[in-house]
Amino acid sequence: MSTKERILDASLQLFNEQGERKVTTNHIAAHLAISPGNLYYHFKNKQAIIFALFERYESRVLDILQVPEERALQPLDKLRYLQDIFSGLWDYRFMHRDMEHLLLADAELHARYRAFFRLCLQRVQQIFRGLAEAGIIRISEADIASLALNTWIVVTSWFSFLRCNLLNADVDAISPELLRGGIYQVFTLERPYLTDEYREAMNQLQQQFIPRPSWLEADEETVG
């Protein structure tokens, strides 16, 4: 592995574990046992590292959001899309924990993210059209646009929701279990559009792989 790739891998690990704001380029260099000068040879500053990590994340997400050309979509495809996307959220969680700060700190990154958002929205709409063509959902073109946007909002805001509503002084870290609750919520967004032919199959798929989160049940009992 090249030094540049090692720097990116180490930065991602440290950003995820400690938060991007707490990690400096000196911390990254020390973690890798290389000189700061060696790090600056590959990246002029921490912002350049963050931008390169975003490029990695962007490539991963766009690779996931592909509609197969050789066959129709199937119920398991929807589960795969969501599992893979939320796996990416977890692997690059530092971005989603503090996205507003990262974008406001770098105009170039902000512009890149906006272009990424528009492309992702188009891809998600294509996926919903594919599900409609396969007879899994019944939905108008106008509702496809709304459902795609609502899905994007849930996915990209899920970290903020967890931190604002579920975490406290005793629970200060987001776990994969809490993150998977977002997949359940996306399934609930689509439930009204399921066709009679696929409703039972999709509901069983959700119950088998993405059941209602136990923490949501506990939270509702506490509120009640």
Side-chain angles (χ1 to χ4, degrees), residues 24-35:
T24 67
T25 51
N26 284 340
H27 291 142
I28 298 167
H31 181 82
L32 289 169
I34 64 175
S35 69

Side-chain angles (χ1 to χ4, degrees), residues 168-184:
N168 51 47
D170 299 321
V171 183
D172 60 1
I174 294 175
S175 67
E177 180 186 4
L178 290 174
L179 198 63
R180 282 193 295 270
I183 302 180
Y184 173 85

Side-chain angles (χ1 to χ4, degrees), residues 13-132:
Q13 177 187 342
L14 294 175
F15 291 163
N16 281 339
E17 291 175 353
Q18 302 178 29
E20 171 270 330
R21 301 194 199 198
K22 296 181 180 179
V23 177
T24 67
T25 51
N26 284 340
H27 291 142
I28 298 167
H31 181 82
L32 289 169
I34 64 175
S35 69
N38 193 355
L39 184 147
Y40 290 131
Y41 175 79
H42 297 281
F43 298 98
K44 63 181 180 180
N45 52 35
K46 188 172 76 169
Q47 202 57 48
I49 295 175
I50 294 170
F51 194 94
L53 286 174
F54 175 77
E55 289 180 316
R56 271 188 176 187
Y57 176 70
E58 177 185 61
S59 177
R60 177 169 172 173
V61 170
L62 294 178
D63 186 57
I64 292 169
L65 297 178
Q66 300 278 1
V67 177
E69 297 180 357
E70 72 282 0
R71 63 173 176 82
L73 286 177
Q74 303 169 7
L76 277 174
D77 287 317
K78 190 54 199 292
L79 179 65
R80 178 184 60 80
Y81 283 130
L82 290 172
Q83 288 179 326
D84 289 352
I85 287 295
F86 274 87
S87 176
L89 285 181
W90 177 253
D91 291 343
Y92 289 82
R93 55 193 177 275
F94 85 92
M95 291 185 181
H96 299 276
R97 283 196 304 243
D98 211 1
M99 180 64 75
E100 185 176 0
H101 160 72
L102 292 174
L103 297 183
L104 291 177
D106 186 336
E108 184 180 1
L109 179 62
H110 202 169
R112 180 68 173 257
Y113 184 83
R114 285 173 173 167
F116 169 67
F117 155 68
R118 290 191 293 270
L119 185 53
C120 284
L121 205 58
Q122 293 172 6
R123 296 281 181 92
V124 175
Q125 289 174 359
Q126 291 171 359
I127 290 171
F128 284 130
R129 291 189 189 100
L131 292 172

Side-chain angles (χ1 to χ4, degrees), residues 159-217:
F159 271 97
S160 178
F161 165 76
L162 293 176
R163 295 184 70 182
C164 292
N165 296 284
L166 294 179
L167 303 186
N168 51 47
D170 299 321
V171 183
D172 60 1
I174 294 175
S175 67
E177 180 186 4
L178 290 174
L179 198 63
R180 282 193 295 270
I183 302 180
Y184 173 85
Q185 290 306 124
V186 173
F187 265 109
T188 64
L189 288 176
E190 300 165 9
R191 192 174 295 150
Y193 300 100
L194 293 173
T195 61
D196 292 339
E197 181 181 0
Y198 281 92
R199 186 179 308 278
E200 183 177 354
M202 292 297 287
N203 287 338
Q204 288 181 352
L205 187 68
Q206 176 201 302
Q207 292 169 11
Q208 180 180 357
F209 292 99
I210 311 294
R212 185 178 179 85
S214 58
W215 53 261
L216 181 57
E217 299 283 1

